[in-house]
C-alpha cells in the first residue's frame, strides 16, 4: 500500500522534477524507437525475404548485435561523440541526442532481427501461394507486410520496452545530468545509492507500470487476428 501511495505522490505531488524525468524518459524512448524502426524494419524485411550473397553472415552478425551489452553500446557512442572522437565537433555528448543515439545502436539490431523472423516466416507461406496465382514479387511482399501488421506493432512495442528500461548506455552517453539527461533508470540507480529508497521505489513502480502496459499491448498485437 505504501508503494502505491509513493507512486501516486510521485505523479500527482508537488515534485515537478520527477515528472520532468518521466517525460524525458518517454521522449528518449519514443525517438529511439522511431529512428530504430526507420532503419531496422526495411533492413529486416530485406533480410527476411530476399536471398543475396552473404545473407547468412549478415543474419549471424545481426543476431550477435541483438545481445550487445548496453555498456558496450554506450561506450561506442561515447568514443564517437567525445572531444577526441570523429564526431566530437558536434558537441552532442551528455545530451538527449547522445542518449537516443546510444539507444538506436542497441535497439536497431533487435528490431531488425525480430522483423526478419516475423516477415520471413510469413513471406515463405505467401510466396508459394503468390506463385500459384501469378502475383508479382512486389505484390507478394506488400501482402506479407499487411498480414504481419499486428506482429510488427508488437515488434515496435518490444523495442520501446527495451528502450525505456535501459540504464547502462544512457548513463555513459548521457551522464545523468540533472534537468538535462536524467531519466528514470539512472535516477533509480542514483536514488538507491543515496539511500532515497522512497523515490527509487516510486520510480520503479512507474517503470513497472509502463512496462506492464507495453508488454500487455505487445502480447495482444502478437496474436493472430481472429478469422
Amino acid at each position: 500500500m505504501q508503494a502505491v501511495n509513493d507512486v501516486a505522490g510521485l505523479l500527482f505531488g508537488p515534485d515537478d522534477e520527477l515528472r520532468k524525468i518521466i517525460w524525458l524518459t518517454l521522449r528518449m524512448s519514443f525517438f529511439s524507437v522511431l529512428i530504430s524502426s526507420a532503419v531496422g524494419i526495411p533492413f529486416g524485411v530485406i533480410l527476411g525475404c530476399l536471398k543475396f550473397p552473404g545473407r547468412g553472415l549478415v543474419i549471424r552478425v545481426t543476431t550477435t548485435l541483438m545481445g550487445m551489452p548496453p555498456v558496450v553500446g554506450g561506450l561506442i557512442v561515447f568514443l564517437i561523440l567525445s572531444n577526441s572522437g570523429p564526431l566530437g565537433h558536434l558537441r552532442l555528448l551528455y545530451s538527449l541526442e547522445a542518449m537516443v543515439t546510444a539507444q538506436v545502436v542497441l535497439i536497431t539490431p533487435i528490431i531488425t532481427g525480430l522483423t526478419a523472423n516475423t516477415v520471413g516466416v510469413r513471406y515463405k507461406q505467401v510466396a508459394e501461394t503468390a506463385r500459384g496465382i501469378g502475383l508479382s514479387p512486389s505484390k507478394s511482399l506488400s501482402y506479407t507486410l499487411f498480414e504481419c501488421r499486428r506482429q510488427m506493432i508488437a515488434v515496435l512495442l518490444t523495442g520501446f520496452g527495451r528502450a525505456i528500461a535501459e540504464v547502462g548506455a544512457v548513463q555513459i552517453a548521457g551522464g545523468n545530468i540533472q534537468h538535462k539527461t536524467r531519466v528514470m533508470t539512472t535516477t533509480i540507480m542514483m536514488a538507491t545509492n543515496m539511500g532515497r529508497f522512497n523515490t527509487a521505489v516510486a520510480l520503479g513502480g512507474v517503470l513497472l507500470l509502463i512496462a506492464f502496459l507495453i508488454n500487455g499491448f505487445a502480447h495482444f498485437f502478437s496474436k493472430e487476428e481472429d478469422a
Side-chain angles (χ1 to χ4, degrees), residues 2-224:
Q2 182 61 40
V4 175
N5 292 334
D6 290 339
V7 173
L10 175 65
L11 294 176
F12 306 108
D15 195 342
D16 190 54
E17 180 182 355
L18 292 180
R19 283 192 290 272
K20 289 181 179 178
I21 289 172
I22 295 173
W23 174 238
L24 178 63
T25 304
L26 294 175
R27 285 172 57 206
M28 177 193 69
S29 302
F30 173 79
F31 286 112
S32 299
V33 174
L34 183 66
I35 297 172
S36 298
S37 301
V39 177
I41 290 179
F43 190 57
V45 170
I46 293 173
L47 199 59
C49 299
L50 302 182
K51 306 294 183 181
F52 54 87
R55 178 174 177 269
L57 176 61
V58 175
I59 291 177
R60 288 193 292 272
V61 171
T62 301
T63 304
T64 301
L65 293 178
M66 289 176 69
M68 180 190 299
V71 291
V72 174
L75 178 60
I76 292 173
V77 174
F78 179 89
L79 294 176
I80 293 175
L81 298 181
S82 63
N83 290 334
S84 58
L87 298 180
H89 62 282
L90 297 178
R91 305 292 183 183
L92 292 178
L93 194 62
Y94 301 142
S95 66
L96 174 62
E97 291 80 2
M99 294 192 297
V100 169
T101 303
Q103 294 276 40
V104 169
V105 170
L106 295 175
I107 301 171
T108 299
I110 295 175
I111 292 181
T112 299
L114 293 178
T115 299
N117 290 335
T118 300
V119 176
V121 172
R122 183 59 62 88
Y123 183 74
K124 292 179 181 178
Q125 301 169 353
V126 172
E128 294 178 1
T129 304
R131 283 194 296 268
I133 61 178
L135 287 181
S136 65
S138 61
K139 289 184 177 180
S140 300
L141 181 58
S142 299
Y143 184 73
T144 300
L145 295 177
F146 177 78
E147 285 291 301
C148 295
R149 62 191 184 279
R150 289 166 63 91
Q151 290 86 348
M152 291 308 302
I153 293 176
V155 169
L156 297 181
L157 291 173
T158 300
F160 188 87
R162 180 70 173 82
I164 202 170
E166 176 51 44
V167 58
V170 297
Q171 174 77 25
I172 295 175
N176 195 30
I177 301 173
Q178 188 177 21
H179 303 306
K180 185 178 180 183
T181 60
R182 186 165 293 172
V183 295
M184 280 194 284
T185 51
T186 58
T187 303
I188 291 172
M189 183 176 64
M190 182 190 69
T192 302
N193 292 335
M194 295 174 62
R196 295 167 52 192
F197 299 115
N198 288 340
T199 301
V201 170
L203 276 173
V206 174
L207 197 58
L208 284 174
L209 176 61
I210 295 173
F212 176 79
L213 294 175
I214 291 172
N215 288 331
F217 281 116
H219 177 72
F220 173 78
F221 284 112
S222 65
K223 295 179 179 179
E224 295 287 344

